[in-house]
Amino acid sequence: MDTLPRVVGRLSASAGRKISTSRLRHQAGPSRQEGKAPSGTGDKELSPVSAARMVGRTLQALARQRSENLGAWRAHLERAAAVHDRADAEAASRVLNACAKAPAAANADVVARLYADRAMKVVGHSKSAQLAAMASSLVVLQLRDETLLRAIATALRTKFAKCTTVDAALIANAFARLLLVERTPFGQVIPL
């Protein structure tokens, strides 16, 4: 299990710079086992989606540990803002969830708005747990984005059968707390 300093170290190493892959190759074993000659110590950049996921994981780690380190929050939120346009559904849900748990002084609401806009574009590719995290994060952040919530409801129509009880409860709670009645996913539960 990664500790916060280890995750922060990884993010710092990848923030706009190349990272060395020699440690990853060492952990995976020598490349001679794969039938290839050793390739040296070349550097490899993170893919744009991987960078966004890394930022999401780091922010989620800060949130999980309830960190009050405003410098770390601001640095990672700044990096999240820089890669928001390349975030996938996983990264968007992680960053929104972390922004909901960020200290008030970290000014995470600006980044949350960027990721709410991005979530609108990737909501169709989201899993039910990611949709639940997005919906509950919007409630905590007090972002009443009805178009995003309706898109979440539409995406849930096909994924509702795969929802866990907790995911369904989180989504229903988010809609109830925003006083938004959406019959698309809950048509069988809410009387007409």
Side-chain angles (χ1 to χ4, degrees):
M1 184 168 162
D2 289 332
T3 63
L4 182 62
R6 195 178 282 166
V7 172
V8 171
R10 284 188 203 153
L11 181 69
S12 299
S14 66
R17 297 186 305 252
K18 295 180 177 180
I19 62 169
S20 174
T21 57
S22 61
R23 191 172 98 194
L24 295 174
R25 277 196 299 269
H26 175 70
Q27 290 174 351
S31 58
R32 280 176 263 138
Q33 291 176 350
E34 299 169 11
K36 297 179 183 176
S39 60
T41 60
D43 288 339
K44 197 177 202 179
E45 287 186 41
L46 284 174
S47 72
V49 173
S50 295
R53 284 184 182 172
M54 181 73 76
V55 171
R57 287 184 188 126
T58 305
L59 282 170
Q60 194 173 36
L62 283 170
R64 190 177 300 123
Q65 296 199 357
R66 293 184 170 94
S67 174
E68 294 293 328
N69 184 346
L70 293 179
W73 274 104
R74 288 184 182 131
H76 296 304
L77 287 170
E78 183 178 309
R79 180 67 179 144
V83 298
H84 82 279
D85 58 334
R86 294 168 274 177
D88 62 348
E90 177 188 340
S93 67
R94 286 178 189 259
V95 171
L96 279 172
N97 194 24
C99 287
K101 297 175 183 176
N107 296 326
D109 56 339
V110 175
V111 175
R113 284 190 184 93
L114 289 173
Y115 275 85
D117 291 340
R118 182 63 186 168
M120 184 65 188
K121 295 176 182 164
V122 298
V123 76
H125 305 288
S126 302
K127 297 177 183 172
S128 59
Q130 294 165 346
L131 294 171
M134 286 180 203
S136 62
S137 299
L138 291 174
V139 171
V140 174
L141 291 164
Q142 298 176 353
L143 290 175
R144 189 179 171 93
D145 189 348
E146 289 189 25
T147 57
L148 176 57
L149 288 168
R150 292 199 192 288
I152 288 172
T154 303
L156 273 174
R157 184 180 301 157
T158 59
K159 297 174 173 90
F160 201 67
K162 296 179 184 177
C163 268
T164 65
T165 309
V166 173
D167 293 342
L170 283 173
I171 293 165
N173 183 33
F175 279 83
R177 288 177 67 185
L178 289 172
L179 300 174
L180 183 67
V181 176
E182 181 58 50
R183 298 192 193 285
T184 304
F186 305 112
Q188 295 84 7
V189 182
I190 301 173
L192 296 174

